[in-house]
Amino acid sequence: MPRYIRSIVIITMLMLPLAVLAKGIYVKDEHQDLVQPKLPPRSVVLTFDDGPSAYTPAILDILKQKHIKATFFVIGSQVIKHPLTDQIYKDSHEVGNHTYSHADLSKQPAWRMSLELNLNRIIIGSQINRSTRLFRPPLQELDALDPSTFSVVTQAADLGYITVGENIDSQDWRRPGVAQIIANVTNDSGGIILFHDGGGDRSQTVEALPKIIDYYQNRGYHFMTVSQALGVPQPEVMPPLSQTDHWLGLLALSIFSVGDWFSRGVYWFILSLIITSFGRMALVIIAALMQSRREYREDKTQTTPCSVIIPAYNEELVIQSCLQSVLSSCYSRFEVIVVDDGSSDKTSELASASDDHRLRIVIKPNGGKASALNYGIELARTNFVIAIDADTVFQPDTIGQLMRHFKNPQVGAVSGNTRIANRHKLLTKLQSLEYVVGFNLDRRMGDLLDCITVVPGAIGAFRKSALKKVGGFTTDTLAEDTDLTLAIKREGYRIVYDAVAVAYTEAPATVRELLKQRFRWTFGTMQAVWKHKKAVLNPRYGTLGLIGLPYLVFYQILLPLLSPIFDVAVIIGLINHQYQLVAVSFVVYTAADALTAAIALKLDGEKLRQLWLVMPQRIIYRQLMYYTIVRSVVNVLKGNLVGWGSLKREGKHLARVSSG
């Protein structure tokens, strides 16, 4: 047929009344024109879409009891989940193609339609060794062939398929009730009836089906399959599968079966992570609120002498601010020891500018932070030491707040409250929020449960006898503060957190410096955990072994390492147009983060206007933390070593805090 005549035929068909283009079966005749064969009078064709599913066996049982044959339009992904196609075919029912993924083909390019049909065809064939020419497009009504639907039907015909519509829709997918389903399909004209054996709860369909069959049988209707309605042998609509397609089908079935199990595993894994994450939020919030009820007030009568040790390596920009704040403390008896760890700048010279009898400055060859701290401990003249970083600024009452806890002889160490001084950039503001919401909340919980795992290098006080007992700061990990804390706790000492003992520190102001710092922290934490692995889940070490270390491993190492799975799930959701699900998930998580942040900020006396940082923290900042976790794990697996190093300082923000 000439092209222009065919175009006229197509346009004419699109303009015909609905009575002519009624719902039914669409095939190409010998002239390759789209036509609709008429069904035999008083005939009923039962068709089922969206299966197989858990309801399919019940439907097959009913059809067997009633001696009725039907046509099942199956979805490939469901065939993999519910391998019942073989049973459908063995019961002499026909199998049709309903695409692999139940995609709306009117919105897909031609290659996607071909892929959907061919993939489903070979998956069906892998179970019954038969192909199928029967096709029903998902999510489309064939009562009026608009241009998009007509295109799907003609493309299917070009691929050799017979498109099967319906003229009686049970509407069972709406679950309107058994009585309504029966009313929807019982009439005096017969035809092709659409049911669903998958896609949701089909219990109403199962209950209504035998009554519908009885209705038509009592009125003398004949039940047929699609091939019988067409008057052709079944092998013509379900021809034997070629050997090549059979092996391709088995291969596809194997691959997608593994993929399906993997998807289910990922689903349950993500669900468990979500539950665990929200559980952790709830635990931390409750514990922090309970811990905050304790009164932390400086004991003015406490006069036990202590030594403040400041390890310094090229800290000329910050050392004076640090010393000014410490020497301005209202605590009565303390000494300050600055250990210059082989600095190449003016650290010692600037430190010496402070003419105070309580200050001593010693210089040693560079050996790392742990080495410098141990050197200072040996020189300390008191039984208690406070170890701080050179970029730390104390409040006037900080030393007193730390020292008051040592009235309890069981206390071996005290962690103070670290805050960020240089909040002038988005990056440092995000770190400030992390300190308040992450580190400090965790320490509140650790204090309540007696399982603090790290006394930070920026502000930590120690009983000197406890330090001697564990051998002081070690040089075999990069997280010397974590290593020391775990060692002291394993010796049976109590470690507490004082939220009122505030110290301000300078955070990295560039992404490069931040990644450098966090990589060292994360790598060192992994080293420390491995070093103390015998304590993990060991009841001998009380809550440290049963709660503290498992919490550290899971929430600070494993969960951040696995968290990108959430981001991948979001991307997949967007690709699959699941915008509502993605939006709801994002809002729920962000709201939970905001609630946690609000409580943490309130407990630390910070301003709630910082809550806006929750959004960029989730979208931007956490990706940087993911990177450091992955990089640390890779280096641990490679067995690489990392040096202590030194971060680039700014100094001016500490000076401003120090001066009040």
Side-chain angles (χ1 to χ4, degrees):
M1 179 184 291
R3 287 187 177 179
Y4 71 92
I5 295 178
R6 185 177 179 183
S7 299
I8 293 173
V9 171
I10 291 174
I11 293 172
T12 303
M13 291 181 68
L14 289 172
M15 297 177 64
L16 288 176
L18 295 183
V20 177
L21 282 178
K23 299 177 182 179
I25 302 173
Y26 297 83
V27 297
K28 280 194 172 184
D29 63 12
E30 64 274 12
H31 302 295
Q32 296 300 300
D33 288 324
L34 200 64
V35 297
Q36 286 186 272
K38 291 184 179 180
L39 299 181
R42 300 189 69 78
S43 62
V44 176
V45 179
L46 298 182
T47 64
F48 298 87
D49 285 9
D50 297 354
S53 76
Y55 295 93
T56 303
I59 291 173
L60 291 174
D61 288 342
I62 293 170
L63 296 175
K64 182 178 290 187
Q65 292 169 8
K66 299 291 185 179
H67 305 289
I68 301 296
K69 305 305 175 187
T71 302
F72 290 79
F73 291 91
V74 300
I75 300 173
S77 58
Q78 287 297 110
V79 171
I80 294 171
K81 294 178 182 177
H82 304 278
L84 297 167
T85 311
D86 182 50
Q87 186 61 48
I88 293 172
Y89 182 69
K90 283 181 178 179
D91 288 353
S92 300
H93 303 292
E94 289 176 348
V95 180
N97 195 327
H98 203 43
T99 73
Y100 172 77
S101 66
H102 202 260
D104 185 348
L105 299 179
S106 66
K107 300 178 181 178
Q108 306 298 330
W111 67 265
R112 171 70 183 273
M113 177 174 175
S114 179
L115 177 64
E116 288 276 349
L117 294 178
N118 285 329
L119 185 57
N120 194 19
R121 180 179 61 82
I122 62 175
I123 288 176
I124 293 170
S126 68
Q127 294 202 355
I128 62 176
N129 204 28
R130 289 270 173 177
S131 182
T132 181
R133 294 181 58 209
L134 304 178
F135 164 63
R136 176 173 283 164
L139 306 172
Q140 293 181 38
E141 296 183 0
L142 302 180
D143 55 346
L145 294 183
D146 58 38
S148 62
T149 306
F150 184 77
S151 175
V152 171
V153 175
T154 53
Q155 286 182 61
D158 289 338
L159 294 171
Y161 283 95
I162 300 169
T163 301
V164 182
E166 83 286 338
N167 67 328
I168 304 175
D169 189 350
S170 68
Q171 296 285 311
D172 61 343
W173 60 274
R174 296 180 183 272
R175 301 188 71 246
V178 174
Q180 187 60 51
I181 291 175
I182 295 173
N184 289 341
V185 302
T186 50
N187 58 42
D188 293 327
S189 61
I192 303 174
I193 304 177
L194 170 62
F195 293 106
H196 295 80
D197 66 322
D201 183 351
R202 297 294 170 250
S203 57
Q204 293 180 1
T205 304
V206 173
E207 186 176 348
L209 183 59
K211 300 175 183 178
I212 294 168
I213 293 174
D214 290 342
Y215 173 88
Y216 281 105
Q217 283 183 331
N218 293 336
R219 285 161 177 75
Y221 282 81
H222 302 284
F223 286 88
M224 298 180 173
T225 61
V226 171
S227 64
Q228 291 170 340
L230 290 172
V232 299
Q234 190 183 77
E236 288 193 19
V237 297
M238 295 186 64
L241 196 69
S242 68
Q243 192 66 23
T244 300
D245 282 349
H246 175 71
W247 288 109
L248 284 174
L250 290 176
L251 177 62
L253 186 64
S254 300
I255 293 173
F256 283 101
S257 295
V258 172
D260 180 62
W261 281 106
F262 178 76
S263 298
R264 293 186 189 186
V266 169
Y267 168 79
W268 287 109
F269 179 70
I270 290 178
L271 182 61
S272 65
L273 288 183
I274 291 173
I275 294 173
T276 304
S277 297
F278 279 101
R280 181 237 179 189
M281 280 186 191
L283 175 63
V284 169
I285 289 173
I286 293 172
L289 290 173
M290 293 176 64
Q291 189 270 352
S292 66
R293 292 186 175 186
R294 301 179 180 181
E295 291 293 329
Y296 290 108
R297 294 291 182 267
E298 180 184 3
D299 185 353
K300 301 295 185 179
T301 65
Q302 177 74 359
T303 58
T304 304
C306 65
S307 302
V308 180
I309 301 173
I310 308 172
Y313 176 73
N314 291 339
E315 303 285 9
E316 62 180 5
L317 293 177
V318 295
I319 190 63
Q320 286 187 315
S321 298
C322 176
L323 285 175
Q324 179 183 346
S325 70
V326 173
L327 294 172
S328 299
S329 173
C330 57
Y331 196 71
S332 59
R333 301 176 63 188
F334 67 94
E335 64 172 348
V336 181
I337 303 173
V338 176
V339 181
D340 187 333
D341 192 45
S343 298
S344 58
D345 63 0
K346 298 180 180 180
T347 297
S348 295
E349 180 180 340
L350 292 174
S352 301
S354 177
D355 185 17
D356 193 300
H357 70 279
R358 296 170 295 179
L359 173 64
R360 281 189 289 163
I361 301 170
V362 295
I363 302 174
K364 63 177 286 295
N366 181 262
K369 184 178 180 180
S371 172
L373 286 167
N374 288 332
Y375 194 78
I377 292 170
E378 289 296 326
L379 296 175
R381 302 188 181 107
T382 69
N383 294 323
F384 300 93
V385 297
I386 298 175
I388 69 173
D389 292 335
D391 63 337
T392 298
V393 169
F394 272 12
Q395 297 283 70
D397 64 342
T398 298
I399 295 178
Q401 294 289 356
L402 293 171
M403 287 300 298
R404 74 178 193 88
H405 294 278
F406 289 111
K407 280 189 171 182
N408 182 350
Q410 293 300 314
V411 172
V414 183
S415 168
N417 184 339
T418 310
R419 299 186 187 178
I420 300 299
N422 55 330
R423 308 182 196 181
H424 62 300
K425 293 183 178 180
L426 175 61
L427 186 63
T428 53
K429 289 178 180 178
L430 292 174
Q431 292 176 75
S432 175
L433 186 66
E434 180 190 25
Y435 272 59
V436 174
V437 179
F439 303 152
N440 291 344
L441 271 187
D442 280 349
R443 290 194 185 102
R444 287 181 182 275
M445 181 185 71
D447 179 55
L448 182 72
L449 301 178
D450 191 22
C451 59
I452 290 177
T453 55
V454 55
V455 174
I459 175 172
F462 302 90
R463 191 180 296 274
K464 192 172 181 180
S465 58
L467 291 174
K468 294 289 186 180
K469 195 170 185 178
V470 299
F473 289 87
T474 60
T475 57
D476 54 355
T477 73
L478 292 177
E480 69 287 327
D481 47 7
T482 302
D483 185 17
L484 177 65
T485 304
L486 296 178
I488 292 175
K489 195 72 190 75
R490 290 181 67 180
E491 289 295 332
Y493 288 98
R494 176 168 173 74
I495 298 176
V496 299
Y497 170 67
D498 193 318
V500 185
V502 176
Y504 288 90
T505 188
E506 190 173 82
T510 66
V511 172
R512 182 178 179 180
E513 292 295 312
L514 173 65
L515 294 178
K516 179 181 177 182
Q517 180 199 65
R518 295 312 171 87
F519 171 59
R520 178 168 58 82
W521 285 6
T522 306
F523 189 88
T525 299
M526 291 180 181
Q527 289 177 315
V529 170
W530 182 255
K531 182 177 178 180
H532 297 275
K533 59 183 179 295
K534 291 183 179 180
V536 178
L537 297 177
N538 190 334
R540 173 185 174 186
Y541 301 105
T543 54
L544 174 70
L546 298 177
I547 299 176
L549 279 171
Y551 181 90
L552 176 64
V553 172
F554 187 80
Y555 286 107
Q556 294 190 27
I557 299 176
L558 292 181
L559 190 60
L561 185 65
L562 299 172
S563 290
I565 294 176
F566 290 105
D567 300 324
V568 173
V570 168
I571 294 172
I572 293 174
L574 293 174
I575 292 174
N576 292 331
H577 308 292
Q578 296 174 323
Y579 304 119
Q580 185 175 1
L581 177 62
V582 171
V584 170
S585 300
F586 184 81
V587 169
V588 169
Y589 261 97
T590 304
D593 282 346
L595 174 63
T596 305
I599 293 173
L601 291 169
K602 192 69 175 176
L603 290 177
D604 264 16
E606 295 276 353
K607 295 179 180 179
L608 292 180
R609 66 187 181 189
Q610 299 178 61
L611 283 175
W612 72 271
L613 293 166
V614 169
M615 191 70 72
Q617 185 183 63
R618 171 164 287 278
I619 297 174
I620 302 172
Y621 188 75
R622 291 188 180 181
Q623 315 309 317
L624 300 176
M625 298 302 102
Y626 296 160
Y627 169 75
T628 60
I629 288 286
V630 173
R631 183 184 171 198
S632 299
V633 170
V634 170
N635 277 271
V636 166
L637 294 176
K638 287 183 176 180
N640 294 342
L641 297 178
V642 182
W644 176 31
S646 179
L647 297 177
K648 184 178 179 180
R649 307 298 190 193
E650 292 182 310
K652 56 184 179 180
H653 303 282
L654 285 176
R656 184 166 59 249
V657 174
S658 176
S659 61

